[in-house]
Each structure stands twice: as C-alpha cells, then as structure tokens.
Amino acid sequence: MESHSKEHVTKLLPAYTHVDDHSLRFINSMTLKCAIDLSIPDVVHKYGQPMPLSQLIASLPIHPSKACFIHRLMRILTHSAQSYGRIEEEQEVRYVLTDASKLLLKDHPLSMSPLMQVTLDSSVIKSCCQFSTWLINDDPTPFHTATGMTYFDYAKRDPKFNDVYNDAMAKETRFVSSVVIEKGKGVFEGLESLVDVGGGTGTMAKAIAKSFPQLNCIVFDQPHVVANLQKTENVKYVGGDMFEAIPSTDSIMLK
C-alpha cells in the first residue's frame, strides 16, 4: 500500500506543480507593476551602463528597511518576467535593460507602461476576484460587481485613470496601426469613408488618413474621450454609444 501511494504521488507531481504554477503566476504581473511604479526601467536606463544592485537600491524611493527586498524583486523580474538582464560579477550583480523592459520606459514611443498600469489597476484586479460572484448575480460585468459601475463610467469619474487608459490605447494602437497599414493596404483602397469605433484619441484613424488621404475618417468613442479633440482635414471626432448608433460610412473598423 505504501509503495502504491508513493507511485501515485509521483504521478501526481506534474499535475500538482502545474496547478501550483498557475496559482502563483500573478506574482510576475505584480512585480512588473511594482517595477513601473518605482520607475525601475527608467532608473536603469538613465544610469547608462550595467547598474549595480547597490546603486539601484540607492536610486529608488523606498524605505531603508525594505532595501533588502529589492534583490528578490529583481530576481523575479530577471528570471520569470525576463524583463532585465543580469550580469554576475565577483563584487556585485548588475542589471541592464532587455528589449522587453525597454518597452516599459515612460518616454518610449511604444511604451507599454500605461497599458500595464491600466491592466493591473486595483479596480481591474478586484473585478477579476469577482468572477464567481458575477456568474451568480445578474450584474452585466465582473467590473460592475466589483465597483458598482461600468468600466467607462469608472473612467469618467477618475480623470487620472482615464488619461492613463487613453495613453495606453494610443500607444498600443500606434504599434498595431503600423502593422495594419503595412500588411492590409488593399483593405483601404477604394474606400471613401471609415468610422473607427472605439477609436480613442484617434491614433489609428490619423495613421490611416495619412496613408490614404482619400479617406474621410470618423473617430467614434465615448463623449468624454473625444470631447476636447480637434478635427483635421480628413479626421473628425464624434461622441456617442456604439450600442445605440454608429455614424454611417463606407466601412466600420472594430479592434
């Protein structure tokens, strides 16, 4: 019986570690959030060369009693998130930015830092903890269960969150638009008008309008998103609710 039990445990080990791994994966995301909150990518970048751990600690706005935990944070970022390069030396470990961590620099034109801040905002994390409750009640979304309002109503009430969200969408769209325009030119040929539903601040529409001047583009989004945006020769902004009506055009873009 004891031998059989040991064999059973051995067979279960891969399944056990698989479940255990999933239960702890959130740590990778939260360490990335911590790095962004502390501006670690920018601190390492500004240093200009492989940065010693002691110098990194001295440059961060942390309480002295927490200095001993930074090497643990960096270990996770290096090995799990693969966001930093680690250089082992006899005297002290040093850190450099990888391609991934460069995308977290605040001034990078395609910075993913705003997207990470939105995705890992406490309101979003709380909504993820409400999946089971949401399935039981009649709330429209888990976010509504957690906050008592829709995602967009939350953004209206929190200008800082709204600004970060719009910045995140603009930067992500800047990357996506370059791919769409390069790979999908034929889609836009022959069109005279297009509405970008949920177009945010117009990053995608402006890129398309620049590449295809014959197109008149409408950026359609929530009124508070487009309220103060200025139209151009072939890009204009319209506020509204896509679940009620969408401006009439030759084509509709949903992404």
Side-chain angles (χ1 to χ4, degrees):
M1 179 65 70
E2 183 179 351
S3 175
H4 179 271
S5 178
K6 288 182 178 179
E7 290 179 3
H8 183 63
V9 170
T10 301
K11 287 183 178 180
L12 280 179
L13 183 58
Y16 187 93
T17 55
H18 178 75
V19 174
D20 191 52
D21 177 60
H22 274 278
S23 70
L24 296 173
R25 283 191 179 184
F26 74 95
I27 293 176
N28 292 343
S29 299
M30 300 317 295
T31 52
L32 275 178
K33 181 181 186 305
C34 181
I36 293 171
D37 290 344
L38 295 175
S39 298
I40 290 178
D42 295 280
V43 170
V44 174
H45 178 68
K46 186 177 180 181
Y47 194 73
Q49 56 185 309
M51 192 171 196
L53 176 61
S54 59
Q55 190 64 44
L56 175 61
I57 292 172
S59 302
L60 298 178
I62 59 174
H63 192 277
S65 66
K66 308 297 171 56
C68 60
F69 296 105
I70 297 301
H71 82 281
R72 297 182 183 180
L73 174 69
M74 296 306 296
R75 182 180 296 173
I76 296 173
L77 289 168
T78 300
H79 294 289
S80 298
Q82 298 181 350
S83 296
Y84 294 84
R86 178 184 171 101
I87 301 174
E88 297 283 356
E89 295 185 350
E90 290 185 8
Q91 296 180 336
E92 189 174 12
V93 65
R94 295 171 180 261
Y95 297 97
V96 296
L97 297 183
T98 62
D99 288 341
S101 51
K102 288 176 183 177
L103 285 173
L104 299 178
L105 292 171
K106 293 177 181 177
D107 293 334
H108 194 292
L110 299 176
S111 177
M112 296 184 70
S113 179
L115 181 63
M116 293 294 297
Q117 289 176 296
V118 169
T119 305
L120 299 175
D121 185 80
S122 60
S123 62
V124 178
I125 299 299
K126 287 179 181 177
S127 68
C128 291
C129 294
Q130 296 296 326
F131 285 165
S132 58
T133 303
W134 169 69
L135 287 169
I136 296 171
N137 64 33
D138 62 350
D139 290 338
T141 65
F143 192 89
H144 193 282
T145 300
T147 64
M149 64 187 80
T150 68
Y151 190 84
F152 295 110
D153 285 338
Y154 183 86
K156 288 179 187 177
R157 299 190 184 192
D158 189 335
K160 182 179 179 181
F161 179 86
N162 186 57
D163 289 343
V164 175
Y165 175 81
N166 288 334
D167 188 26
M169 294 301 100
K171 285 184 167 62
E172 184 180 46
T173 302
R174 189 174 295 125
F175 176 76
V176 173
S177 64
S178 62
V179 177
V180 169
I181 292 171
E182 180 183 351
K183 302 295 184 180
K185 292 181 179 179
V187 174
F188 302 100
E189 293 176 356
L191 296 177
E192 295 183 359
S193 59
L194 175 146
V195 57
D196 184 2
V197 179
T201 56
T203 302
M204 176 71 84
K206 285 186 283 189
I208 292 173
K210 182 178 180 180
S211 298
F212 305 94
Q214 85 283 359
L215 263 177
N216 290 311
C217 297
I218 296 175
V219 179
F220 184 66
D221 211 311
Q222 295 282 313
H224 73 277
V225 174
V226 300
N228 299 314
L229 301 177
Q230 299 297 316
K231 68 178 183 179
T232 63
E233 184 177 348
N234 58 341
V235 177
K236 68 177 183 178
Y237 298 86
V238 176
D241 185 343
M242 68 177 181
F243 296 108
E244 295 181 359
I246 295 175
S248 178
T249 57
D250 289 346
S251 55
I252 297 173
M253 175 177 287
L254 289 168
K255 56 187 185 300

